[in-house]
Amino acid sequence: MMRTFLSLVNKEILGFLRAWGLVAVVLYAFTLDIYIAGKGIELQAKNVSVGYVDESGGVVSLKILERLHAPQFKPPVRFLSQKELDRALRNREIMVGLLFDNDFSRDYERSGHARLNVLLDATAAAQSFQALQYLQHILLDFSEIHFPVGLKIHKLFNPNATTSWFMSLAELLSMMTLLGVILTAAVFVREKENGTWDMMLLMPVDPRLIILAKSFSQVLILSLGIVIATGLILFGAFDVPIHGSIWAFFLLSFFYAFTSAGIGLFVAAVSRSMMEVAQLAIFIMMPLIFLSGAWTPIHAMAPWLQKLSLISPLRYYIEGSESIFFRGTAWGDLWPYFAGVIGLGALVYLYGFRRIGRLF
Amino acid sequence: MKLGVVRAYMLKEIKEMLRSKMIVLVYLLPTMIVILFGYGIRLEVTHARTVILDHDQSRLSRDLIGHFRHSKYFDTRVMNITEQQALHRIKQAKTEILIIIPEGFEKRLIQGVGTEIGVFVDGAFPIRGETMANYVEGVIFDAARRLMPPKEAKLITLDNRNLFNQAMRDENAIVPGLIGLILLVAPAILSALLIVKEKEEGTIFNFYSSPIKKSEFLLAKLFPAFVLHSVNIFLLFLWATWLFEVPFRGSFTLYWFASEIYVLISLGVGLLVSIITSTQIVATVLTIIITIIPGFLYSGMLMPISAMSAESVIEAHIYPVMYFNHIVYDTFLVGQGLASPKNQLYLAILLAYAVGLILLGSFLMKKELR
């Protein structure tokens, strides 16, 4: 039986390697796609464009402006009137407008108190809010008041807030989900499309063994993909730190690969062509990916979504992987994630297994 | 051009779409994306799970805790555990912020000796970590400033006005950008599939061998797609304003007109894809790859164009998304309309893109087997 199993797995892997188009797509997804997401999606405010109108005529405003520099700010641009600044803001060429009015430097010299008017283009809410906080920092620094309270802030796990670490990992987990479904569904549907399905039915092998071998071969491909992506892109290109155990991550991914293969089995059972596989996969996986915390932590979402996400195996996979990579959670504390992935995964896989089994 | 032929061909297209469930894809996909992204992307931080260790137990420390308690940004719990245990909670992702008020906090403050509050923030989500750290800083400095005699507290205060999106809602910032993403992806997929499907199934030979002209064929293919997706323009508008309560301050006519042109651009992209591909699956994947990346990264939705690095700005100007998004954000949040020369220019650029892409597509398409 083991020999039959192995030769079936072997057949599927050969079939995969010969479909060069599929190999190219999988390689792209596990390397370049993750690279682009990690490199391109930057959410932190950098290079903020600043414009100012200076009617104060003093040196204070110039001293403040000097402090707006890279990487947070672009060199401030001077506008001659508030009207011009307004127009630039409306055309979204400038994100932060500073108005130093007549009394600004007089007030500052006389009493130390002064008011600086700031106009923010809040169409980009997150970045303009951050820019405001940068400004607050700069002014606090500038005023040189000695607070009796010191603050020591430790940003744990990612002290410089490098977005690429987070984005590349999130993209890898999403890709893992999407490919797991599409690849597994593809090995069955290709047989339907090519007309070799009947040969499968006629084979003197237990259909359960066929299903198991077919899905296992794809789990192997996925596992290899995740090793390549982790080594080449996460560690190689982005220097993502790993505070926990890499084996924990690989093990969790291995179990999760079975879960997504299970969804793939279900998709394969209900679709007749690759086109239908692609459509169904998108409609099932997109909600799963977006509502399981890939882009936003679960507890930042609407309460009803939080409850819903409890039944998503991806939720546990994402939280678990982030904990392993960034929080450095120990093996013993990882059990909720393993339990979630394995428990829900087993249910999903069994369901998919039975659905596709009916076709034999 | 024979209108009778075109009409017959169009009828066939529409019937096929209805039969093949393609119509579901046309209307479900845009709505799904806008709902998923609209709900699924949250950059603002509220209710951060905060644990405070109060080693001082004095009036001042309780006062400071009160400041955190009354803020909607924090869900504060004062706990009586060790620092190690609290840090462990962060590792287990049960807590995001840990604030440690040291012993003798009040005494040292009154004596005027410096004291230090320790803050630990979970930085696994970078932008969230950064924002939380800034919030904590803000609350503590605000509390400290109130304690100081006003003379000493020399400070330049910021008086900020948040233009276009006063409450800084994420929905207002993201949902209009999603319209630019969806109307680029969805019509392109549809138009590519309509043509590639015939190639894959071999029915394209009907077109090769019948006397129908290339222009008639394209009109019959693209016009139904255009009309179907025009409905999406209204549908997306409805989701944005009704479901996500994004304000609409500009002219609806401008939004409508610009969107129709933009749908044409997208159809043109799909047409080009259909020329170089021969199977539906490859056509879908290729369309998604070439439309989603500019739609996300170079559209100004997640990152404003003005805050991009120089090379990204150049790249952004290559894709049509940026021009469309500028107009959409303007009609939703800013409300300048056609009075602004920039909007006029961008509208003209969009028009040029639409005409250019469709002309290029119909020029490159061959009415013969190669």
Side-chain angles (χ1 to χ4, degrees), chain B residues 261-279:
Chain B
I261 295 175
Y262 191 62
V263 169
L264 283 181
I265 293 176
S266 174
L267 292 176
V269 172
L271 181 60
L272 287 178
V273 168
S274 76
I275 290 166
I276 53 171
T277 55
S278 51
T279 57

Side-chain angles (χ1 to χ4, degrees), chain A residues 74 127 150 154 296 299 333, chain B residues 40 49 88 115 119 163 302 306:
Chain A
K74 281 183 184 163
Q127 285 86 3
H154 311 263
T296 306
H299 40 263
D333 286 324
Chain B
R49 294 162 303 166
H88 192 73
T115 167
V119 178
L163 303 172
L302 291 173
S306 68

Side-chain angles (χ1 to χ4, degrees), chain A residues 41 44 49 74 91 113-114 116 118 120 122-123 127 133 137 148 150 152 154 156 166 296 299 327 329 333, chain B residues 40 42 49 88 91 115 117 119 121-123 125 134 137 153 157 159 161 163 165 173 302-303 306 326 342:
Chain A
I41 302 183
Q44 306 276 5
S49 48
K74 281 183 184 163
N91 281 336
H113 289 285
L116 172 57
V118 183
L120 284 176
T123 48
Q127 285 86 3
Q133 288 175 323
H137 250 285
K152 199 161 175 125
H154 311 263
L156 300 170
F166 170 75
T296 306
H299 40 263
R327 303 196 180 94
T329 314
D333 286 324
Chain B
R42 275 281 165 285
R49 294 162 303 166
H88 192 73
K91 284 197 174 180
T115 167
I117 296 177
V119 178
V121 175
D122 180 349
F125 268 82
N134 283 324
E137 220 169 8
T157 43
D159 194 6
R161 264 176 49 211
L163 303 172
N165 181 8
L302 291 173
M303 182 47 96
S306 68
H326 185 85
K342 199 170 178 183

